[in-house]
Amino acid sequence: MVSRVIPVETFDLVIFGGTGDLARRKILPGLFRRFLSGQMPPEARIIGAARSELDTAGYREMIAEAVAEFGGAETNNTKGLQAFLERLDYVAIDARGEGGWAALAELVRSDVVQAYYFSVAPALFGDLAERLHKHGIASAQSRIVVEKPFGRDLESARDLNRTLAAHFDESQIYRIDHYLGKETVQNLMAVRFGNVLFEPLWNNHYVDHIQITVAETVGVGGRGAYYDKSGAMRDMVQNHLMQLLCLIAMEPPGQFEADAVRDEKLKVIRALQPVENHHIVRGQYDAGKDGPSYRDDVENARSFTESFIAMRVHINNWRWAGVPFYLRTGKRMKARSSEIAVVFKDLGHTIFEGDEARHRNILSIRLQPNEGMDLQVTIKEPGPGGMRLIDVPLDMTFADALGAEAEDVTDAYERLIMDVIRGNQTLFMRGDEVEAAWRWTDPLIDGWEARNDVPKLYDAGSAGPEDALMLMHRDGRKWREIKG
């Protein structure tokens, strides 16, 4: 198997916040790998823009250090790195003033694809958009990339969308969610819509329930001030888990085209039923041998913000009526794992007796670590002495299936940035999607805030609070084990 690298058009990419953590950890190292692969044309240029008083030479030195630390297997390619660094420029810029804008206008070319990555706080989006147009830098063909959070509630999301719409058309706005750039997430669509085997079974006649888990071993770390005003619901469920839910549950689009896919995702969000209070479990990690408690991390001894949330969700449509979706995400858990599990129903009738009859097919899609998927099927255990049934996985781990090529699977940010240059919005959220997600999320948050609900404590390094286990046990089901 040989992967194809399709070069993109020549571009100028301006990264506002070009000295920030995201730019150094993800964006620039990812672009370096795309450059080495031959996907980024030699004439392409990347322009860092930030408050820091650097010159281009200083910026190149900073990015060389970032690539050495975060660039992966190609960090020793000194010749390639030097060629990549020559593509970089830098402008010290004042997002809310006039400093640096004239210099930026001179650098950006009008005859190539123009993309502007807003790797800054959302409060600066409007200022940047206004000045790009005021100084004649952006055009009707320019593209902007914006990072989450896309607001903290419906009202702020609407305000943000109005701010962006005042300067850019929706077709120019790329709201990035790196989960949608993961290879396995895109393979989910290929498995569903590219195989006759699965789509006929993808409904309430055959599916018992679906679990979506995103577990992290880290705590809030240096994000304490932000996270304590956000929590797991705003930070993870409203965007990452919501997008995974949409891809699992959506109807087949008429064609694999950006708005056709996003129209179907929007229908899923609008079909979500309100969640009953007893179908929501919120938690906070307690102190453990590996670190302090959540409240110590955020320096707020009276914090009611959740670092864990689990919930039972229903979709009110023909395909999924009666099928529960169990969502779960948390910090300081037993392993780092992101998984979607489609659990199929029991056989309507079995010819086997006793324990031998209790087997289920499960399709597991692993997003991290060890990206891949497996289908649990039932077979006879080898050997004499009767019909003993066991469950075994039909495994498609990328590392095994692709061999050495698995190491070259494109990082989510690499793929998504190249899609921006291509003008492909399929894996990016549309403004009405964001607002619909907040319209569903806001009443849940308002409800527990009005009740002054206190999150349940759970041990760091565990699978979450006991109440989350009971959420499933009451339904005669159980969570899948969190495994790294």
Side-chain angles (χ1 to χ4, degrees):
M1 181 184 299
V2 178
S3 59
R4 290 189 301 156
V5 174
I6 303 174
V8 298
E9 296 179 60
T10 300
F11 63 86
D12 281 351
L13 172 63
V14 179
I15 305 172
F16 292 104
T19 61
D21 187 66
L22 179 63
R24 291 184 297 105
R25 284 178 174 268
K26 291 290 186 180
I27 300 174
L28 271 305
L31 287 167
F32 171 57
R33 289 189 288 271
R34 290 301 88 211
F35 177 77
L36 291 182
S37 75
Q39 191 166 27
M40 183 174 149
E43 300 82 9
R45 289 194 305 184
I46 302 163
I47 304 167
R51 291 177 299 175
S52 303
E53 291 295 334
L54 289 171
D55 57 14
T56 294
Y59 187 61
R60 290 176 178 177
E61 183 177 346
M62 172 188 289
I63 300 309
E65 294 174 356
V67 168
E69 186 173 358
F70 304 112
E74 301 292 346
T75 55
N76 294 325
N77 189 334
T78 54
K79 183 177 179 181
L81 178 58
Q82 185 57 42
F84 173 73
L85 294 175
E86 291 173 1
R87 310 272 79 77
L88 270 57
D89 285 300
Y90 181 80
V91 175
I93 208 156
D94 183 355
R96 288 181 165 155
E98 298 303 311
W101 290 98
L104 181 61
E106 291 182 4
L107 283 175
V108 176
R109 296 169 289 182
S110 61
D111 58 346
V112 300
V113 173
Q114 298 175 0
Y116 302 93
Y117 201 126
F118 290 7
S119 182
V120 296
L124 295 176
F125 288 176
D127 297 293
L128 294 175
E130 178 184 352
R131 280 159 179 77
L132 282 171
H133 283 280
K134 175 182 176 181
H135 291 274
I137 302 172
S139 70
Q141 287 73 47
S142 299
R143 297 144 198 180
I144 62 168
V145 185
V146 293
E147 282 276 350
K148 79 177 186 78
F150 310 118
R152 59 173 282 106
D153 52 25
L154 177 58
E155 182 181 359
S156 59
R158 282 173 170 165
D159 288 343
L160 184 56
N161 282 338
R162 280 193 291 265
T163 296
L164 296 174
H167 303 283
F168 294 95
D169 185 77
E170 180 65 33
S171 64
Q172 298 177 270
I173 303 170
Y174 292 71
R175 297 171 185 83
I176 192 168
D177 183 337
H178 69 275
Y179 264 64
L180 295 185
K182 290 181 177 294
E183 189 71 33
T184 319
V185 173
Q186 294 175 75
N187 255 311
L188 171 59
M189 288 189 280
V191 166
R192 274 199 64 187
F193 305 132
N195 295 280
V196 71
L197 176 65
F198 290 108
E199 187 57 26
L201 308 180
W202 216 262
N203 54 60
N204 56 4
H205 297 295
Y206 297 99
V207 175
D208 179 79
H209 71 279
I210 293 175
Q211 300 183 27
I212 302 176
T213 295
V214 178
E216 301 176 272
T217 55
V218 297
V220 298
R223 301 172 67 220
Y226 157 76
Y227 196 93
D228 203 39
K229 296 177 182 177
S230 173
M233 187 68 168
R234 288 187 174 100
D235 189 55
M236 292 294 294
V237 176
Q238 187 273 338
N239 39 74
H240 297 326
L241 271 69
M242 181 73 73
Q243 290 297 309
L244 298 179
L245 172 65
C246 287
L247 292 177
I248 279 284
M250 72 182 191
E251 295 297 318
Q255 55 188 334
F256 190 62
E257 183 271 331
D259 277 332
V261 171
R262 298 191 292 182
D263 285 345
E264 297 303 334
K265 288 162 57 186
L266 179 61
K267 291 176 186 177
V268 173
I269 301 173
R270 288 176 172 171
L272 288 172
Q273 295 181 357
V275 183
E276 301 288 339
N277 295 340
H278 61 283
H279 288 158
I280 303 174
V281 177
R282 299 166 63 239
Q284 275 184 0
Y285 59 83
D286 205 353
K289 62 181 181 180
D290 295 326
S293 69
Y294 172 83
R295 292 185 174 186
D296 289 336
D297 273 342
V298 301
E299 299 180 349
N300 181 358
R302 297 182 58 82
S303 174
F304 288 175
T305 303
E306 75 283 354
S307 63
F308 171 97
I309 190 165
M311 61 175 62
R312 171 178 164 172
V313 175
H314 285 270
I315 299 172
N316 190 24
N317 63 18
W318 281 96
R319 181 183 289 265
W320 297 114
V323 177
F325 289 72
Y326 296 95
L327 312 183
R328 172 177 61 165
T329 184
K331 292 188 174 295
R332 292 292 300 278
M333 299 185 73
K334 65 186 297 184
R336 176 176 174 263
S337 175
S338 296
E339 181 195 66
I340 303 168
V342 181
V343 182
F344 292 94
K345 290 184 176 181
D346 291 331
L347 291 170
H349 171 73
T350 178
I351 63 174
F352 306 106
E353 297 180 355
D355 291 340
E356 299 300 334
R358 292 200 289 267
H359 294 269
R360 275 184 171 172
N361 301 124
I362 301 173
L363 177 65
S364 171
I365 300 109
R366 300 185 304 277
L367 309 181
Q368 63 183 19
N370 304 322
E371 290 189 56
M373 48 184 82
D374 63 61
L375 177 63
Q376 180 176 295
V377 297
T378 302
I379 66 168
K380 176 189 175 294
E381 184 177 18
M387 182 64 72
R388 297 185 303 276
L389 304 185
I390 58 172
D391 295 325
V392 297
L394 299 177
D395 193 355
M396 195 207 78
T397 300
F398 288 166
D400 296 335
L402 302 181
E405 287 189 37
E407 298 179 3
D408 297 327
V409 171
T410 310
D411 177 78
Y413 275 98
E414 299 174 45
R415 176 178 294 105
L416 293 173
I417 293 173
M418 292 298 100
D419 277 354
V420 172
I421 305 304
R422 293 190 187 96
N424 184 351
Q425 290 184 305
T426 304
L427 299 176
F428 297 84
M429 285 181 282
R430 204 166 57 192
D432 52 2
E433 274 187 81
V434 173
E435 292 184 18
W438 280 120
R439 192 175 291 110
W440 177 78
T441 303
D442 278 358
L444 306 182
I445 297 174
D446 292 343
W448 68 58
E449 288 182 347
R451 298 188 300 271
N452 288 320
D453 283 355
V454 179
K456 307 292 184 181
L457 291 178
Y458 63 94
D459 293 334
S462 72
E466 289 292 324
D467 289 46
L469 302 179
M470 293 305 301
L471 176 68
M472 293 282 267
H473 289 169
R474 287 196 301 265
D475 296 340
R477 302 182 176 100
K478 63 180 182 180
W479 291 106
R480 285 171 58 80
E481 183 181 358
I482 297 174
K483 296 186 293 186

Short mmCIF file of all heavy atoms in Angstrom, two decimals, residues 3 13 244 254 312 323 329 337 392:
data_model
loop_
_atom_site.label_atom_id
_atom_site.label_comp_id
_atom_site.label_asym_id
_atom_site.label_seq_id
_atom_site.Cartn_x
_atom_site.Cartn_y
_atom_site.Cartn_z
N SER A 3 0.70 5.39 0.04
CA SER A 3 -0.16 6.55 0.19
C SER A 3 0.23 7.61 -0.83
O SER A 3 1.40 7.79 -1.14
CB SER A 3 -0.05 7.12 1.61
OG SER A 3 1.28 7.47 1.90
N LEU A 13 0.18 31.55 4.30
CA LEU A 13 -0.54 31.26 5.54
C LEU A 13 -0.01 32.18 6.63
O LEU A 13 1.17 32.11 6.99
CB LEU A 13 -0.35 29.80 5.95
CG LEU A 13 -0.89 29.39 7.33
CD1 LEU A 13 -2.41 29.56 7.40
CD2 LEU A 13 -0.50 27.96 7.68
N LEU A 244 -18.36 13.70 17.25
CA LEU A 244 -18.29 12.24 17.11
C LEU A 244 -19.68 11.63 17.09
O LEU A 244 -19.97 10.72 16.30
CB LEU A 244 -17.46 11.65 18.25
CG LEU A 244 -16.00 12.09 18.34
CD1 LEU A 244 -15.32 11.43 19.54
CD2 LEU A 244 -15.24 11.77 17.06
N GLY A 254 -26.23 13.02 0.58
CA GLY A 254 -26.44 12.75 -0.84
C GLY A 254 -25.14 12.61 -1.61
O GLY A 254 -25.05 11.89 -2.60
N ARG A 312 -26.54 9.99 29.49
CA ARG A 312 -27.31 9.16 28.57
C ARG A 312 -28.11 10.08 27.68
O ARG A 312 -28.89 10.91 28.16
CB ARG A 312 -28.23 8.21 29.34
CG ARG A 312 -29.21 7.46 28.47
CD ARG A 312 -30.05 6.52 29.31
NE ARG A 312 -31.23 6.08 28.58
CZ ARG A 312 -32.07 5.14 29.01
NH1 ARG A 312 -31.86 4.55 30.18
NH2 ARG A 312 -33.12 4.79 28.30
N VAL A 323 -32.64 3.96 21.14
CA VAL A 323 -31.23 3.57 21.31
C VAL A 323 -30.51 4.62 22.17
O VAL A 323 -30.41 5.77 21.76
CB VAL A 323 -30.52 3.44 19.95
CG1 VAL A 323 -29.03 3.11 20.16
CG2 VAL A 323 -31.19 2.38 19.09
N THR A 329 -16.53 11.57 29.45
CA THR A 329 -15.20 12.19 29.29
C THR A 329 -14.72 12.68 30.64
O THR A 329 -15.53 13.08 31.50
CB THR A 329 -15.24 13.35 28.28
OG1 THR A 329 -13.90 13.85 28.10
CG2 THR A 329 -16.11 14.49 28.76
N SER A 337 -7.49 7.35 26.52
CA SER A 337 -8.22 6.53 25.56
C SER A 337 -9.41 7.29 24.99
O SER A 337 -10.16 7.92 25.74
CB SER A 337 -8.72 5.24 26.23
OG SER A 337 -9.52 4.48 25.37
N VAL A 392 -13.71 -12.93 19.78
CA VAL A 392 -12.39 -12.53 19.29
C VAL A 392 -12.55 -11.30 18.40
O VAL A 392 -13.59 -11.12 17.77
CB VAL A 392 -11.70 -13.66 18.50
CG1 VAL A 392 -11.44 -14.86 19.38
CG2 VAL A 392 -12.53 -14.05 17.28
#
